[in-house]
Amino acid sequence: PLRRPAKLVALSHDALQLLDLSTYAVLGNDHFLDVAAGSELVFGSQPSAQRYGGHQFGSWSGQLGDGRAHLLGEYVNRHGERWEVQLKGSGRTPYSRRGDGRAVLRSSVREFLASEAMHHLGLPTSRAVSLVVSGDAIMRDQFYDGHPQAESAGVVMRLASSWLRFGSLELMHVNREFELLKTTVDFAIKQYFPSLLHSADMYVDFFSAVLRSTAQMVAHWQAIGFAHGVCNTDNFSLLSITIDYGPFGFLDTFDPGFVPNTSDDEGLYQFQRQSEAAQFNLHKLWIALGTVFNDSRRPYAQLKKFDEIFEERYIALMREKLGLLGRENGDRMLVTRLLEMMRTTSADYSMTWRELSEASLDELRGDTFAQEMWSLPKVAEHDAWPAWLEQYAQRLQRQMMSYGDSDQQRRERMTSVNPRYILRNYLAEKAIQQASRGDYSEVKQLHRVLQNPYQTQALAEQAGYASPPPGWSRHLRVSCSS
């Protein structure tokens, strides 16, 4: 347990409800605080840590495992939903190796905020219930430059339907634990893919299902402008939910080569290469499942469908971001050209989409942007803007004729999928800096705003959450050190 007194500093009401709990029931409840801090067990809990391996930055790293996370157990709520309850930063496990099993305040704040922000953006993700901090001194060399410093400890209670990873099966395959591997896959299918139980080729269909949902998850990352930062096989979920929020980042300026993780020297997991990383990981999963396949050729053929599945989901999401109805052959080009204009004008990714959502077609054609708009006007300065806008306007006119659509309806659809507020790294950093001084108000305010990222909020506007990022934000560095 933590040596110094623990303090509950943030709660997610939505995530608490998944455990049939309420904020009222847990605030001021010493038992909940002790459980969330890892100092006390729930009756009947038998904590465990998961063993897994992983390909990290393209190379096999051997056995890894939960070095600082304890699984408290599985909870089945009143809706019949199963949630595995885990504490991250709760102390040493059999897989801690030389580590202390702790997580620091800055990484815990990021994990808590990102988990809930991604959920409210509509992406598949693990959830965060609570954030507990303590004055325990945790030594970390944040940038691996030989300058370790003492930081406060943090513990996050997080939830997922399952914490099984690609690396869970990889390690069993490498260790030639083929019976255990088959038992684990059988369990996963029965528990999470029950529709496959009567399939004529259950294991191949299981792989195909994981491949499809993984491709769709990464397509959603790309559409929303999210870079995970550490796309290792041990960070990819068998249920295709986003897990393990470390050195992630949301795009500010649209830069396809954006690398949020300072530890990724070669840019292996840069924004535009996340689909490549996913394909690499799925290939390693295919190898791991080799002993359960009757014929490995069919699942291998499925690997070649990744690009098609990814593109289908990606362009569908981008059509939504543009407010388009139906499908036309020129839709992909509309997206590609807009992104290229964003890139060459150094426009902000999220706010360009949002401001395009908020502007009427007449305003766009007249270049009469609202005074508070600051990203789309940059794109409109591009030489290719008039031609692109005319193609876009013609596309909208055709759908008005075909679907009885209106410009107001188009704007309403677009504002429901293009967020006004995202967890920018500089916003997270401001919250972390305040929290390090014992002031958790910014963590709570950010969490509150990010629960409704698609709705304009007076509090968020006043705080500048939709304003241009400050100059110092370009120099922020985040790493795997936590």
Side-chain angles (χ1 to χ4, degrees):
L2 294 165
R3 294 186 300 276
R4 295 194 176 184
K7 181 179 181 180
L8 180 63
V9 300
L11 277 172
S12 168
H13 175 69
D14 288 349
L16 272 172
Q17 288 186 318
L18 299 175
L19 300 177
D20 297 327
L21 294 172
S22 68
T23 306
Y24 175 80
V26 303
L27 282 178
N29 187 313
D30 291 340
H31 177 57
F32 179 84
L33 172 60
D34 289 339
V35 170
S39 301
E40 188 175 317
L41 291 178
V42 176
F43 177 77
S45 173
Q46 294 181 325
S48 62
Q50 188 183 156
R51 185 194 68 159
Y52 49 80
H55 277 84
Q56 298 189 322
F57 296 95
S59 300
W60 177 246
S61 296
Q63 179 173 296
L64 302 167
D66 289 331
R68 54 180 171 177
H70 291 84
L71 180 67
L72 301 185
E74 181 185 65
Y75 180 75
V76 181
N77 66 20
R78 59 184 175 178
H79 302 295
E81 300 168 334
R82 295 176 176 273
W83 293 99
E84 293 187 0
V85 184
Q86 191 182 76
L87 297 181
K88 185 173 182 178
S90 47
R92 289 180 56 81
T93 78
Y95 309 113
S96 295
R97 301 181 291 283
R98 294 184 300 274
D100 56 19
R102 295 296 177 191
V104 295
L105 172 65
R106 58 182 160 82
S107 66
S108 301
V109 167
R110 286 171 60 84
E111 172 104 21
F112 177 83
L113 291 174
S115 302
E116 293 306 283
M118 288 284 275
H119 168 72
H120 291 288
L121 285 168
L123 281 83
T125 177
S126 57
R127 301 296 303 276
V129 175
S130 61
L131 170 61
V132 168
V133 300
S134 164
D136 287 45
I138 310 298
M139 297 301 297
R140 290 291 184 270
D141 187 352
Q142 183 175 355
F143 298 113
Y144 306 108
D145 58 3
H147 296 88
Q149 293 183 334
E151 302 184 52
S152 297
V155 182
V156 175
M157 180 185 290
R158 58 184 194 170
L159 309 176
S161 297
S162 172
W163 294 102
L164 283 172
R165 305 143 185 271
F166 287 16
S168 306
L169 303 184
E170 277 190 289
L171 186 62
M172 297 175 199
H173 173 79
V174 170
N175 289 348
R176 304 184 66 81
E177 298 167 328
F178 301 133
E179 283 300 316
L180 179 59
L181 172 62
K182 183 178 182 300
T183 299
T184 304
V185 174
D186 287 345
F187 166 81
I189 292 173
K190 181 179 179 181
Q191 192 86 326
Y192 311 114
F193 301 86
S195 63
L196 303 181
L197 284 171
H198 303 293
S199 168
D201 206 341
M202 183 173 69
Y203 300 116
V204 172
D205 290 343
F206 165 70
F207 177 74
S208 298
V210 174
L211 183 146
R212 172 171 290 277
S213 56
T214 298
Q216 292 175 338
M217 175 188 71
V218 177
H220 211 159
W221 288 357
Q222 299 298 120
I224 207 68
F226 173 79
H228 185 280
V230 195
C231 297
N232 300 330
T233 58
D234 54 294
N235 298 128
F236 263 50
S237 159
L238 278 179
L239 301 193
S240 305
I241 60 174
T242 313
I243 59 173
D244 296 343
Y245 292 95
F248 66 87
F250 286 88
L251 292 173
D252 289 329
T253 297
F254 179 60
D255 175 11
F258 172 56
V259 180
N261 182 4
T262 57
S263 304
D264 186 2
D265 297 327
E266 297 179 4
L268 187 64
Y269 298 145
Q270 60 187 264
F271 177 72
Q272 66 185 347
R273 295 186 65 184
Q274 292 186 119
S275 64
E276 293 177 37
Q279 290 183 76
F280 175 90
N281 293 349
L282 285 161
H283 183 262
K284 298 304 178 185
L285 179 62
W286 170 75
I287 292 173
L289 291 170
T291 57
V292 301
F293 294 140
N294 291 325
D295 182 347
S296 62
R297 289 174 296 182
R298 186 177 162 219
Y300 186 77
Q302 295 293 314
L303 279 170
K304 298 182 180 179
K305 295 183 179 180
F306 179 95
D307 288 333
E308 177 186 342
I309 297 168
F310 173 89
E311 177 65 16
E312 179 183 27
R313 179 60 175 153
Y314 178 73
I315 193 60
L317 291 166
M318 300 308 270
R319 282 192 181 99
E320 291 180 2
K321 290 176 78 67
L322 281 170
L324 304 181
L325 300 175
R327 300 181 180 185
E328 289 191 12
N329 292 333
D331 292 348
R332 188 62 167 94
M333 189 57 67
L334 272 176
V335 173
T336 301
R337 288 175 176 169
L338 178 57
L339 292 176
E340 179 59 18
M341 287 189 290
M342 283 190 208
R343 186 189 68 81
T344 55
T345 59
S346 298
D348 187 87
Y349 182 77
S350 294
M351 286 309 293
T352 297
W353 289 109
R354 180 68 185 200
E355 291 170 1
L356 189 63
S357 310
E358 295 176 344
S360 70
L361 191 54
D362 287 341
E363 289 171 331
L364 292 172
R365 281 176 156 161
D367 284 351
T368 53
F369 301 108
Q371 185 176 0
E372 65 270 14
M373 290 187 178
W374 52 271
S375 186
L376 187 59
K378 295 176 68 174
V379 179
E381 294 175 358
H382 196 286
D383 291 342
W385 170 256
W388 181 88
L389 180 59
E390 185 57 31
Q391 289 179 319
Y392 181 49
Q394 290 177 7
R395 175 68 168 87
L396 295 178
Q397 291 288 348
R398 288 194 295 274
Q399 73 184 32
M400 288 178 186
M401 297 291 291
S402 299
Y403 298 95
D405 194 32
S406 70
D407 194 48
Q408 180 61 32
Q409 289 172 318
R410 187 265 310 175
R411 293 164 69 186
E412 289 173 358
R413 286 195 307 275
M414 289 178 68
T415 53
S416 72
V417 296
N418 291 308
R420 187 160 179 84
Y421 315 110
I422 57 172
L423 183 59
R424 298 179 186 271
N425 266 339
Y426 89 90
L427 293 176
E429 183 63 21
K430 286 174 64 177
I432 290 166
Q433 291 302 320
Q434 286 195 23
S436 67
R437 297 190 293 270
D439 178 1
Y440 304 100
S441 59
E442 187 68 15
V443 174
K444 295 175 181 178
Q445 179 169 291
L446 254 183
H447 174 229
R448 185 161 59 250
V449 167
L450 294 173
Q451 290 178 78
N452 294 286
Y454 300 104
Q455 297 178 13
T456 301
Q457 303 171 51
L459 176 67
E461 297 300 307
Q462 185 178 0
Y465 291 172
S467 300
W472 59 265
S473 68
R474 293 194 297 271
H475 308 294
L476 273 178
R477 301 167 66 204
V478 290
S479 74
C480 290
S481 170
S482 56

